[in-house]
Amino acid sequence: MKFISILSITFLGLVSGGYAQQQLNDTTKAPAPALPGVYADPHIAVFNDKFYLYPTTDGTEGWMSTNFTCWSSKDLVNWKNEGVILDLPKDLAWADARAWAPAIATKNGKYYYYYSADANIGVAVADKPTGPFKDPLGKPLVAKGALLGQMIDPMVFVDDDGAAYLYFGQGNCHIVKLNEDMVSYNPAAVVSFKPQGYNEGSFVFKRNGKYYLMWSEYDTRDPRYSVAYATSDSPLGPFVKAESNPVLKGKGSVKGAGHHSVVKVPGKDEWYIAYHRFKIPGGNGYNRETCISPMRFDSKGNMLPVDVFEAVKPVKVSKKGREAER
């Protein structure tokens, strides 16, 4: 009986271990998206004790959405729809469709919302991260045709010294330091370049004194859509592309993983990446869903490949962490 019991335990252990390994290698059961429905190009941010997502509203061929929504969360897992924060036909005099790829930054006690509208880049201002946002210029911040490529996909990075930089462009990457008012800049100071493989969706963050420039490669309708990165000692570059790329790409049932943003949990060296993938099932480049995954680094500061099958566990922003970031 004892012999049989040992064999049984060994057999059960092998079966259990094999099942666990099978679960680990299963690329058919992707985690649920962060947001319900179809949303793409998510910009993720943290203000005070909440996380926020600012996506493109998806689901129309040609990406013809006309407004932007905001979503908030206390834990990165449960998200609340804060409603429409900018409606192009109502709130703008110069564009009424193709509301794409927003980003947000805070400075001077205000929140500045940067977005694409009819292939121009606009800026709107609010007193709260949930809006409502108002157009302070009555015209694009960067008009179509101003530079090489499409004037879309804005992102703003505010450095430790308070200086703010605008990154934007499809086909080419453009960088310019914003003026103190956050709604103007010197056109003669724009730096333009094209990293190898660059297509669109630039995003910048800083970790341990190093600047990371990330971007999407291929076309968003291509299942190979993915994210690569480069580093620099300056927010204006030059940026050197990392040897290990891409750091985010699809696998198995996950297709077209890209157009991302990154958030750091205040007070911790803990990072998360928000991005879109083709809707599962039956998605494509016009029907995409927003996802979040953990993002990690090795001891040398190199970004590690993101596991698009790793689910996010609830995360809290502590008061101590908030104060540490100030």
Side-chain angles (χ1 to χ4, degrees):
M1 290 292 293
K2 187 176 181 181
F3 177 68
I4 293 173
S5 297
I6 292 171
L7 282 177
S8 300
I9 292 169
T10 303
F11 175 73
L12 288 172
L14 287 171
V15 170
S16 176
Y19 178 73
Q21 188 62 40
Q22 184 181 8
Q23 290 279 83
L24 192 65
N25 295 329
D26 189 353
T27 60
T28 61
K29 298 181 177 68
L35 304 181
V38 283
Y39 293 93
D41 313 326
H43 181 97
I44 192 167
V46 59
F47 302 119
N48 299 318
D49 61 347
K50 280 187 180 180
F51 296 98
Y52 294 88
L53 274 172
Y54 302 87
T56 296
T57 303
D58 224 19
T60 57
E61 190 162 340
W63 310 290
M64 297 302 293
S65 57
T66 61
N67 61 51
F68 292 104
T69 58
C70 169
W71 300 71
S72 67
S73 174
K74 287 275 192 176
D75 61 6
L76 278 183
V77 174
N78 301 289
W79 291 89
K80 175 188 175 185
N81 188 347
E82 298 285 355
V84 173
I85 58 172
L86 186 70
D87 185 286
L88 269 54
K90 285 186 189 177
D91 300 329
L92 301 186
W94 51 271
D96 59 10
R98 295 193 288 173
W100 303 343
I104 193 168
T106 183
K107 189 176 176 180
N108 309 326
K110 300 283 186 180
Y111 293 87
Y112 298 88
Y113 188 72
Y114 303 84
Y115 57 91
S116 310
D118 279 339
N120 305 269
I121 291 174
V123 60
V125 186
D127 295 323
K128 301 184 298 182
T130 53
F133 286 86
K134 302 297 182 184
D135 176 13
L137 300 179
K139 62 180 182 179
L141 175 64
V142 185
K144 65 177 72 174
L147 297 160
L148 206 58
Q150 286 196 83
M151 302 300 100
I152 61 173
D153 298 356
M155 186 272 161
V156 170
F157 167 73
V158 181
D159 209 345
D160 300 331
D161 62 359
Y165 300 85
L166 176 69
Y167 300 78
F168 61 98
Q170 186 273 335
N172 280 273
C173 183
H174 308 290
I175 312 173
V176 68
K177 185 177 179 180
L178 290 170
N179 293 331
E180 190 64 23
D181 62 10
M182 297 289 282
V183 298
S184 64
Y185 63 93
N186 177 7
V190 175
V191 175
S192 300
F193 64 107
K194 185 172 183 175
Q196 182 184 4
Y198 179 92
N199 182 35
E200 61 191 7
S202 55
F203 188 91
V204 167
F205 66 93
K206 187 178 183 180
R207 179 180 182 268
N208 295 339
K210 183 184 294 185
Y211 298 87
Y212 293 75
L213 168 67
M214 305 176 73
W215 63 84
S216 292
E217 302 190 338
Y218 297 103
D219 184 270
T220 191
R221 293 162 290 191
D222 190 324
R224 297 173 297 173
Y225 198 56
S226 51
V227 171
Y229 82 100
T231 58
S232 176
D233 294 326
S234 164
L236 292 169
F239 288 91
V240 178
K241 189 173 183 179
E243 293 181 6
S244 180
N245 270 308
V247 290
L248 173 70
K249 64 177 181 178
K251 181 181 179 183
S253 62
V254 175
K255 310 291 184 187
H259 204 123
H260 75 298
S261 56
V262 168
V263 70
K264 176 182 179 292
V265 179
K268 299 181 180 179
D269 188 27
E270 185 176 339
W271 300 77
Y272 293 87
I273 183 169
Y275 56 95
H276 68 238
R277 70 189 184 201
F278 287 5
K279 184 180 180 296
I280 300 174
N284 54 30
Y286 300 110
N287 293 278
R288 302 162 294 179
E289 55 192 8
T290 287
C291 303
I292 301 173
S293 296
M295 191 179 83
R296 300 181 178 91
F297 303 82
D298 68 15
S299 60
K300 296 181 179 178
N302 300 308
M303 294 182 64
L304 298 174
V306 174
D307 180 0
V308 293
F309 287 86
E310 181 180 0
V312 171
K313 296 177 182 178
V315 176
K316 292 286 187 181
V317 179
S318 68
K319 182 179 179 181
K320 185 178 179 181
R322 295 199 309 269
E323 291 173 348
E325 292 293 305
R326 290 174 183 165

